Amino acid sequence: MITNQELANLIFPNVTETVEDLEKEFPKRQLPEGAEVTRFAPSPTGFLHTGSLFTSLICRKVATQTRGVFFVRLEDTDTKREIQGSGEELLEQLKIFNIVPDEGYMGNSQKGNYGPYVQSQRADIYRAVIKHLIILGKAYPCFCTPHDLNEIRARQESAKLVPGYYGQFAKCRFLTNEERATRLLAGEPFVIRFKSSGNHIRKIRVHDLVHGTFEIAQNDQDIVIYKSDGLPTYHFAHVVDDHFMKTTTVIRGEEWIASLPIHLELFEALGWKAPLYAHLPVIMKLDENGNRRKLSKRLDSEAAVSYFLQDGYPSEALIMYLMTIANSNFEEWIFLHHFEKMEDFIFSFNKMSLDGALFDIGKLNFFAREILAKKTKEEIYDMAVAYADKYQPKLLEVIKRSPSYFMEIMNIEREKENPRKDYEKFGDLLSSINFFYDDFYQDLLKGPLPFNERFNKQTISRVLIALKEQLPFAVDEQTWFASMKNIGITLGFAPNGKTYKNDPDKYLGSIGDVAEMLRIALTGRKNSPNLYYVMKVLTKERCDKRIEQIISSF
RNA sequence: GGUCCCAUGGUCAAGAGGUUAAGACGAGACCCUCUCAAGGUCUAAUCCCGAGUUCGAUUCUCGGUGGGAUCACCA
């Protein structure tokens, strides 16, 4: 007769640490009343997902608000899917969004007393707990091959039964310890399964911070907790880690609700108190058939946080947008606070909507414009340089030609009550300001200029020559504009659009046409910020040269 | 398919047993105007369906429908 203890020793001969030892090693945290311990637990399988940013944002917020702890744990038990370096990348990207963990995995180091925070370094801990479960008779080795498993599944499907490894189908749970030992000794590959005592006919009540209380079927699957590669599965690692790391609130995506009964049963089997759970709605996207689906990293560029970084969105804009999804009262709050100090907003789980929001890039753009409009020219400069340095060398080169010139450009109609709101991301900055730079301006001249065809070249020349005499370098905006108007009138243009429309035969055009000629001559395009300021920034020398060049090209 | 979650304009959504059913983004119109952006004013647009409870249901209950998530030695 082989006891569970003997079986456990046979499987894990070198594991001497017990669960009690571990409990001593990881005592209760000393934290203020009401402090919550949250965690973000990504797998290093690629770049940061927008949904993960959302989750980690809320984890950070909840911990900060309650003076608790937010830590990061790297879930790298799937060695096949692991992408080298992506753990560090994840951390870096979180930092860009001001989401910095208090402890845990920090990229190249680890911080805190509840580690290690990388699952592949916790093998001894998992083994100790599994050994404990085997001794308790709540876990057993399973020798079923993928082939066996497929067979079971096929039988269940044809009999229209719930698929899986449970009850009578869990063949290996009925093996005697002698049989187990014999096969183990023979070197048969195995996994360890949890011996479920649940029944899916029975329901359990579960509590969720977002969804409230609801009923769900008990788990009855003998899930794998220890893989043949010696690493735990997610379910088991979650329970063990969040227990020993003293997580109070597990905040994760809604896709985990279905496996909640497994986790709860595991906690119970180990005699541990389960944490609070908050299952967040997933961010959705409309597919080509008009159906909603979860943002997919493979199909949707906006699923990867790096997409927004590459485009040069201000990081605050994405966070602000995500906060509107997180809490329905946030938007009103941030309007009231003029898009500032969003860290002062108090997040609450019950202000969270229950169905996943469609990702709305238009709304993100709106926040981005608001945020950039609020920045000073110095801030814009710093942000632009940081962006360009990483993603757009050409932009960096242009900015560095003269930081002060760049700042003047960016400062047009900025320092006022209602600043311009035409920039939303740095990715398209260069194309909107390039005409301020002579080399780009010359490139623009290579194409046809968008002069109104109603006017011939003589007329345009006459207008430009006259205006050139009155460029606004010694006068204020009103004075200059009045003088442009006068020049226009002298040359046969109506003082405003209305006058022209009422009597189109009497005039060559309106003052708008005059301004347009000048604008095209100076900028190569029909739209630009206020001409007065554009000219000021360009300097008299440049304006003169450009006008002369246009006239002589006719 | 089983199980669970969800359901107010195009999107994000507030809302209470009786409301003209907020607000924001977006769209459209007008004003301002040298164009654009901004700003101002205005407009259009929503309670999934069916029963039940009730004097009264978009709100409560049930059923349907629709959408989503999940059913691995992945997390």
Side-chain angles (χ1 to χ4, degrees):
Chain A
M1 175 77 184
I2 294 175
T3 63
N4 288 340
Q5 180 74 60
E6 286 161 340
L7 179 72
N9 286 339
L10 183 61
I11 297 172
F12 296 115
N14 300 320
V15 174
T16 52
E17 200 172 30
T18 65
V19 171
E20 276 143 61
D21 296 336
L22 290 168
E23 295 290 2
K24 279 190 207 120
E25 198 179 330
F26 303 111
K28 192 167 180 279
R29 289 172 182 267
Q30 297 302 311
L31 290 170
E33 185 71 22
E36 299 194 49
V37 180
T38 62
R39 100 277 121 109
F40 174 54
S43 343
T45 52
F47 299 130
L48 186 61
H49 191 281
T50 304
S52 302
L53 179 63
F54 181 61
T55 307
S56 53
L57 167 67
I58 291 168
C59 289
R60 176 68 274 178
K61 201 118 184 74
V62 168
T64 305
Q65 267 174 210
T66 59
R67 299 193 296 148
V69 174
F70 166 59
F71 68 87
V72 170
R73 174 174 73 226
L74 203 63
E75 308 223 322
D76 60 342
T77 56
D78 186 359
T79 46
K80 286 181 218 86
R81 291 201 311 158
E82 179 160 359
I83 294 171
Q84 276 306 315
S86 60
E88 286 90 337
E89 174 103 25
L90 248 29
L91 257 286
E92 265 168 49
Q93 294 199 346
L94 284 180
K95 200 172 168 195
I96 292 172
F97 293 94
N98 227 337
I99 296 170
V100 180
D102 302 310
E103 68 174 52
Y105 171 77
M106 307 295 244
N108 40 26
S109 65
Q110 293 186 35
K111 184 177 153 194
N113 300 325
Y114 292 85
Y117 297 91
V118 175
Q119 287 182 334
S120 58
Q121 297 168 13
R122 299 174 61 79
D124 291 344
I125 297 174
Y126 304 124
R127 287 189 189 117
V129 179
I130 287 172
K131 191 169 185 179
H132 176 67
L133 281 175
I134 293 171
I135 294 167
L136 291 177
K138 290 178 178 176
Y140 61 88
C142 168
F143 304 93
C144 289
T145 62
H147 176 79
D148 297 333
L149 263 18
N150 284 337
E151 213 166 60
I152 294 170
R153 172 168 300 271
R155 261 196 292 143
Q156 289 165 331
E157 270 168 19
S158 64
K160 293 216 195 304
L161 291 166
V162 178
Y165 204 82
Y166 63 97
Q168 298 304 305
F169 297 103
K171 290 198 295 198
C172 291
R173 109 189 337 224
F174 302 105
L175 261 27
T176 62
N177 280 353
E178 284 70 19
E179 288 170 308
R180 288 172 179 147
T182 309
R183 297 175 75 164
L184 252 11
L185 259 6
E188 263 193 65
F190 67 96
V191 299
I192 306 287
R193 285 182 186 273
F194 171 67
K195 191 171 168 186
S196 172
S197 55
N199 183 332
H200 71 265
I201 305 295
R202 287 203 297 270
K203 303 252 183 183
I204 48 168
R205 287 182 88 70
V206 296
H207 304 278
D208 180 281
L209 262 16
V210 179
H211 294 266
T213 300
F214 56 94
E215 289 199 330
I216 190 167
Q218 276 184 353
N219 173 59
D220 64 354
Q221 300 277 335
D222 285 4
I223 56 140
V224 172
I225 55 178
Y226 184 81
K227 300 185 283 183
S228 55
D229 64 3
L231 289 169
T233 56
Y234 170 85
H235 304 300
F236 186 68
H238 150 54
V239 169
V240 171
D241 292 346
D242 284 316
H243 173 69
F244 287 121
M245 294 178 181
K246 311 298 168 194
T247 305
T248 62
T249 312
V250 170
I251 300 169
R252 55 174 18 174
E254 203 180 50
E255 66 270 24
W256 292 107
I257 287 184
S259 40
L260 189 52
I262 296 174
H263 305 154
L264 261 14
E265 191 184 4
L266 246 16
F267 272 107
E268 205 190 326
L270 285 159
W272 296 340
K273 185 170 180 277
L276 262 26
Y277 284 93
H279 289 96
L280 270 28
V282 290
I283 299 170
M284 317 283 279
K285 152 117 187 172
L286 225 46
D287 72 7
E288 43 294 326
N289 302 321
N291 294 325
R292 282 164 178 253
R293 65 167 155 72
K294 197 165 131 183
L295 260 191
S296 143
K297 221 187 262 193
R298 198 168 50 82
L299 300 170
D300 312 311
S301 47
E302 62 273 52
V305 166
S306 55
Y307 166 81
F308 302 100
L309 264 14
Q310 274 160 23
D311 261 13
Y313 278 97
S315 58
E316 292 158 78
L318 190 52
I319 295 297
M320 220 175 252
Y321 171 63
L322 257 17
M323 279 308 297
T324 65
I325 297 182
N327 266 185
S328 54
N329 53 332
F330 174 75
E331 198 168 325
E332 196 183 345
W333 186 94
I334 198 75
F335 274 68
L336 211 63
H337 290 78
H338 311 287
F339 301 93
E340 284 167 343
K341 294 224 193 110
M342 63 175 146
E343 54 284 359
D344 292 349
F345 175 79
I346 306 291
F347 166 85
S348 74
F349 282 112
N350 48 29
K351 289 279 184 190
M352 177 169 263
S353 97
L354 301 175
D355 59 339
L358 282 183
F359 192 86
D360 186 354
I361 192 111
K363 198 130 188 176
L364 172 63
N365 289 338
F366 164 76
F367 283 116
R369 281 195 299 272
E370 292 291 342
I371 285 166
L372 290 183
K374 284 214 153 328
K375 300 286 177 197
T376 64
K377 60 179 187 290
E378 289 83 7
E379 288 168 328
I380 292 283
Y381 171 80
D382 290 341
M383 292 170 87
V385 167
Y387 168 75
D389 187 43
K390 192 156 183 195
Y391 298 104
Q392 210 174 305
K394 184 65 189 170
L395 176 62
L396 186 67
E397 182 267 311
V398 169
I399 295 172
K400 290 292 183 182
R401 288 178 197 173
S402 166
S404 61
Y405 186 57
F406 174 76
M407 280 191 264
E408 276 185 69
I409 295 169
M410 297 314 293
N411 211 38
I412 290 174
E413 295 178 279
R414 173 171 297 275
E415 288 166 347
K416 50 191 259 191
E417 181 69 20
N418 288 312
R420 295 186 66 86
K421 291 176 185 167
D422 39 9
Y423 305 116
E424 59 200 23
K425 50 187 199 275
F426 290 99
D428 37 46
L429 180 59
L430 188 54
S431 65
S432 53
I433 63 164
N434 59 8
F435 66 86
F436 282 101
Y437 295 92
D438 290 329
D439 47 340
F440 288 98
Y441 175 74
Q442 295 304 331
D443 283 345
L444 283 170
L445 294 194
K446 284 178 191 149
L449 289 173
F451 285 116
N452 191 322
E453 284 169 9
R454 294 206 336 269
F455 305 110
N456 60 33
K457 288 179 177 174
Q458 283 84 352
T459 310
I460 296 171
S461 292
R462 262 178 39 232
V463 169
L464 290 179
I465 289 165
L467 287 175
K468 186 164 166 287
E469 300 303 313
Q470 296 276 350
L471 290 180
F473 295 98
V475 294
D476 64 31
E477 188 183 352
Q478 278 73 29
T479 313
W480 170 72
F481 182 63
S483 79
M484 179 174 75
K485 215 172 217 178
N486 283 333
I487 291 167
I489 293 168
T490 315
L491 293 174
F493 289 86
N496 57 55
K498 230 176 235 162
T499 313
Y500 174 62
K501 253 186 207 152
N502 289 341
D503 207 350
D505 297 333
K506 203 171 148 193
Y507 302 101
L508 284 173
S510 79
I511 196 66
D513 296 311
V514 174
E516 186 182 274
M517 291 176 207
L518 183 59
R519 172 170 283 112
I520 293 170
L522 293 173
T523 70
R525 54 178 77 174
K526 278 175 121 160
N527 302 331
S528 81
N530 187 315
L531 257 186
Y532 175 80
Y533 297 108
V534 168
M535 286 188 281
K536 283 269 200 196
V537 171
L538 279 171
T539 68
K540 175 160 171 36
E541 192 200 353
R542 248 195 220 98
C543 291
D544 284 346
K545 246 174 72 188
R546 289 187 179 188
I547 291 172
E548 279 159 24
Q549 186 181 354
I550 295 292
I551 293 170
S552 64
S553 74
F554 286 156

